[in-house]
Amino acid sequence: MKTESYQIDNSTEYRRVKRILSKKTQPGKIMRFLMNAFESYRQARKLGWSRPWNKYNLTVFQSFRLNFSKDSVMHEQASRILQNHIAMPASAKHFIKELLADNEHLTGFVFVHDYQDGEQLYEGVTYSLGRVKDKKYRDRIDLILESPVYAGKSQGLSRIRVYIDPFMLAKEPLWSSTHSENLSHDVYELFDQLANCSWQWPAEAGRSWNHWTADYINYFGPRQKMLATSYFYQADRPKTRVQRRTEQAA
C-alpha cells in the first residue's frame, strides 16, 4: 500500500478502512493517510461534511457548534445575507429557503481558518449550515468571510465566498460564487460577530467541536502563521487582536 497513491475505490474497501480507523491502533502516519483517503471517498459521495473548498490549502484551527437559540441574532443575520444580499439562481434560493426552514434537522458550525489562495494568504471564518440527508448523505451551505494578510497584518473583510451544496449525484455544488464588491452592512456585522466568537467561545463550555478524527485530517490543526495583527484567535497573543469595526466606530 503506497501512501502517495492510495485511494479507496469501492464500498468493501471503505468498510475495511473504517474498521481499521475505529480501532485507533495504527501508527500516526498510517492513521493519517488512511483517514485522508477515507475522507476523500466520503467527500466525493457527500457522505460527510467535508467538501473540496474546505479541504485544500486550508487549515481549520477552531471549530465550534452553533446554538440557534443562543445565536439567534447572528443566525438571522446570516440568513438575511444568504436570502437577500446575494444574487443567485432560483434553484439555489429555493434550497436555502428549504434548509433554513427545517428547524428539526438543521445543524450549524463555525470554522475559523487560514487559507492560502495562490500567492495570497487569508484568515477567515465559515458559517456552515447543513443536515443529514437520507440517513448517510449531507446537505450543506457555507458562507465564508475572509480578510487578506499583508506583511503579517490582517487587513479586514474583503470578500465572501458562498457554496450551495445540497446532496445530488453531481460532485460539484449546485451553485457557488465569490463577492468582493458592494458588501452589505450585514456582511461586515457578521464578520465582526464571528471574529468576536473566535476569541470568546473557546472559554464557553460545550462550544468547541472536537473529534478524534481531526488529529489525522490534513486540514485540521494549529495556525500555520502567527500574525502581528489578527481578527481571529491567537493563543497567548491577545494584544494582536484587531478591534471590531463596531468598536472602532463607538
Side-chain angles (χ1 to χ4, degrees):
M1 184 184 293
K2 295 182 178 180
T3 60
E4 67 273 12
S5 60
Y6 177 65
Q7 293 181 339
I8 300 173
D9 298 319
N10 54 70
S11 58
T12 300
E13 181 69 358
Y14 171 76
R15 289 192 295 270
R16 186 182 77 86
V17 171
K18 185 177 182 179
R19 288 194 297 271
I20 294 172
L21 289 170
S22 64
K23 292 178 181 178
K24 295 183 278 186
T25 56
Q26 297 295 317
K29 182 178 179 180
I30 302 298
M31 290 287 287
R32 183 171 288 277
F33 86 75
L34 284 177
M35 181 61 72
N36 283 283
F38 184 78
E39 278 288 291
S40 293
Y41 181 92
R42 288 171 61 81
Q43 179 186 116
R45 293 155 182 83
K46 300 183 182 177
L47 291 170
W49 298 110
S50 178
R51 295 294 191 270
W53 57 87
N54 71 288
K55 184 178 178 71
Y56 299 110
N57 304 317
L58 177 147
T59 301
V60 173
F61 58 87
Q62 286 183 307
S63 302
F64 303 107
R65 293 181 182 275
L66 283 169
N67 181 319
F68 294 120
S69 296
K70 289 184 177 180
D71 308 324
S72 59
V73 173
M74 187 166 64
H75 183 60
E76 289 170 5
Q77 199 159 39
S79 299
R80 283 198 304 273
I81 293 167
L82 287 166
Q83 293 181 297
N84 303 323
H85 296 210
I86 302 168
M88 64 181 71
S91 57
K93 281 189 171 291
H94 175 77
F95 172 70
I96 290 172
K97 184 177 181 180
E98 179 197 355
L99 184 64
L100 290 174
D102 190 358
N103 296 324
E104 183 180 355
H105 300 105
L106 187 64
T107 303
F109 296 92
V110 170
F111 301 110
V112 188
H113 64 261
D114 292 321
Y115 178 50
Q116 191 70 45
D117 188 2
E119 297 297 317
Q120 181 61 59
L121 175 65
Y122 288 88
E123 63 167 3
V125 58
T126 300
Y127 191 93
S128 185
L129 300 171
R131 65 182 171 189
V132 177
K133 184 74 171 179
D134 297 331
K135 296 184 179 180
K136 60 181 179 178
Y137 301 107
R138 301 292 187 275
D139 289 331
R140 181 162 176 167
I141 294 173
D142 280 347
L143 178 59
I144 304 171
L145 304 91
E146 292 176 315
S147 167
V149 176
Y150 297 103
K153 296 183 178 181
S154 191
Q155 303 298 304
L157 177 68
S158 71
R159 73 177 188 182
I160 61 172
R161 293 186 285 138
V162 185
Y163 294 88
I164 310 301
D165 196 24
F167 169 70
M168 301 181 296
L169 294 178
K171 293 183 180 180
E172 297 299 318
L174 173 64
W175 183 81
S176 64
S177 185
T178 299
H179 302 267
S180 57
E181 297 181 355
N182 300 318
L183 301 180
S184 68
H185 177 74
D186 270 338
V187 174
Y188 283 101
E189 281 289 311
L190 182 62
F191 181 80
D192 282 349
Q193 290 182 61
L194 290 169
N196 186 55
C197 293
S198 173
W199 292 89
Q200 299 297 325
W201 281 359
E204 185 175 324
R207 273 295 188 180
S208 293
W209 177 85
N210 296 295
H211 194 274
W212 67 267
T213 55
D215 293 337
Y216 305 105
I217 298 175
N218 289 338
Y219 49 89
F220 284 99
R223 293 201 79 159
Q224 299 300 295
K225 295 181 181 179
M226 287 296 179
L227 306 182
T229 61
S230 174
Y231 286 85
F232 299 100
Y233 181 76
Q234 299 196 115
D236 303 319
R237 302 187 70 184
K239 292 183 179 180
T240 65
R241 181 181 180 182
V242 179
Q243 280 188 318
R244 299 167 63 196
R245 291 174 68 256
T246 50
E247 291 171 349
Q248 293 171 340

